[in-house]
Amino acid sequence: ERGARHCGVGERMFLCQARSGALRQPYRLLRSVLLPSSTSTSSFFSSSSSGGGGGPSTWEFMDWAKRGDLKEWKSGEEPSYFHVFNVDAKEYEVDVKDLEKKYKSLQKFLHPDKLGVSGGDEQRKLGEKYSALVNEAYTVLRRPLPRARYMLAQRGMSVDEETSMDDLDFLQKVMEIRERLEEDLDEEALKELEEEINREIEKIVSELGRLLNSGSLQDAKELTAKLKYYDNILNEIIRQK
């Protein structure tokens, strides 16, 4: 029969069929097995990325926050996360330590209670609004996965649970890792697996930076989807520790 293929021992039937072409949409069938719906973050994604793109010489958002007598930012227009922290929107890599310093400085000026004391209820509400924006921007920019998603979204591309992936070798690799996690691994084995996944993530993040910086958005989107798989695996490793 056309598309028939002998399935090897230990190979999941649906993955074998996907490889043979018997399944038209293997990704959708595999998604629930390989990509849990977890949205929590892992230790790797809280770590620093090397490098950083310099933003404009004048930090406009900070100058606005320092005034103390807040008005709506540019008639209510919401600044981009890159604008909030004065980092280059074209560069994927950011200096996370510098980002943290900027975050603390901004929150010092935008603290709702501080603004409320000097400017009343209206200033307190504006402080709450823009302090929340700074929190969200910091949460996104400091981690590789949400930062990649945000950059893609800013350029008109989204990465979600329905993002298609045709790399069946990668899907099988992820499935095999998940099968290892189903075993009763001791602490040392979990540590080794975590280090292995982090190495894979470092490779992806490096390549992702190159793709985003060069404008190769479709390839960057596919790589970001892979990053999500590894993020979920790390979450599971942390849960089992």
Side-chain angles (χ1 to χ4, degrees):
E1 182 179 349
R2 185 177 180 272
R5 177 181 181 275
H6 176 67
C7 296
V9 176
E11 184 175 15
R12 294 280 181 84
M13 182 59 69
F14 57 77
L15 185 56
C16 176
Q17 291 175 331
R19 289 181 177 282
S20 69
L23 295 179
R24 292 186 178 181
Q25 293 180 309
Y27 173 78
R28 293 181 183 275
L29 185 58
L30 290 168
R31 183 165 57 101
S32 61
V33 176
L34 300 179
L35 186 59
S37 59
S38 169
T39 57
S40 60
T41 58
S42 64
S43 58
F44 177 86
F45 291 97
S46 297
S47 65
S48 171
S49 298
S50 62
S57 57
T58 300
W59 188 1
E60 189 179 4
F61 190 81
M62 172 59 92
D63 291 342
W64 169 84
K66 279 182 176 180
R67 288 206 307 256
D69 181 20
L70 296 185
K71 300 290 191 297
E72 286 282 356
W73 172 262
K74 295 187 176 180
S75 301
E77 173 189 343
E78 184 171 291
S80 77
Y81 295 166
F82 298 103
H83 200 108
V84 168
F85 284 99
N86 197 45
V87 295
D88 193 337
K90 299 185 296 295
E91 293 289 333
Y92 176 63
E93 296 83 3
V94 299
D95 184 333
V96 178
K97 290 183 179 179
D98 182 60
L99 201 71
E100 183 179 8
K101 292 178 183 178
K102 290 180 175 180
Y103 168 75
K104 291 178 178 178
S105 296
L106 282 171
Q107 290 295 31
K108 180 175 66 175
F109 290 107
L110 293 173
H111 196 288
D113 292 339
K114 178 182 177 181
L115 290 170
V117 169
S118 60
D121 192 54
E122 181 181 355
Q123 288 293 296
R124 180 183 59 78
K125 289 180 179 179
L126 285 171
E128 289 174 350
K129 175 180 177 177
Y130 289 105
S131 178
L133 174 65
V134 170
N135 281 334
E136 176 64 21
Y138 179 64
T139 298
V140 168
L141 294 184
R142 73 187 179 92
R143 296 180 294 124
L145 177 59
R147 185 166 70 247
R149 283 175 157 172
Y150 183 75
M151 288 187 71
L152 286 168
Q154 290 283 293
R155 301 177 192 189
M157 301 192 75
S158 64
V159 180
D160 53 33
E161 301 297 336
E162 298 297 328
T163 298
S164 179
M165 181 184 297
D166 298 324
D167 190 342
L168 295 177
D169 288 331
F170 174 78
L171 293 175
Q172 179 168 2
K173 180 178 181 179
V174 171
M175 185 179 68
E176 290 170 353
I177 293 172
R178 288 209 160 274
E179 287 175 343
R180 287 167 63 186
L181 280 171
E182 291 174 2
E183 302 171 3
D184 187 18
L185 300 180
D186 59 24
E187 185 176 346
E188 184 62 28
L190 283 172
K191 181 180 178 181
E192 290 178 0
L193 183 56
E194 182 178 16
E195 291 173 350
E196 176 186 332
I197 299 303
N198 277 328
R199 286 193 295 271
E200 293 297 323
I201 287 175
E202 287 173 2
K203 294 176 186 176
I204 287 180
V205 167
S206 176
E207 177 64 8
L208 194 52
R210 186 187 69 79
L211 293 172
L212 284 168
N213 294 349
S214 65
S216 303
L217 300 186
Q218 185 57 44
D219 290 340
K221 179 177 179 178
E222 293 173 4
L223 209 54
T224 300
K226 291 183 178 182
L227 200 55
K228 176 61 179 174
Y229 281 92
Y230 283 132
D231 184 30
N232 282 323
I233 290 173
L234 278 184
N235 288 334
E236 179 60 22
I237 292 172
I238 292 170
R239 188 189 68 80
Q240 290 191 24
K241 278 186 172 181

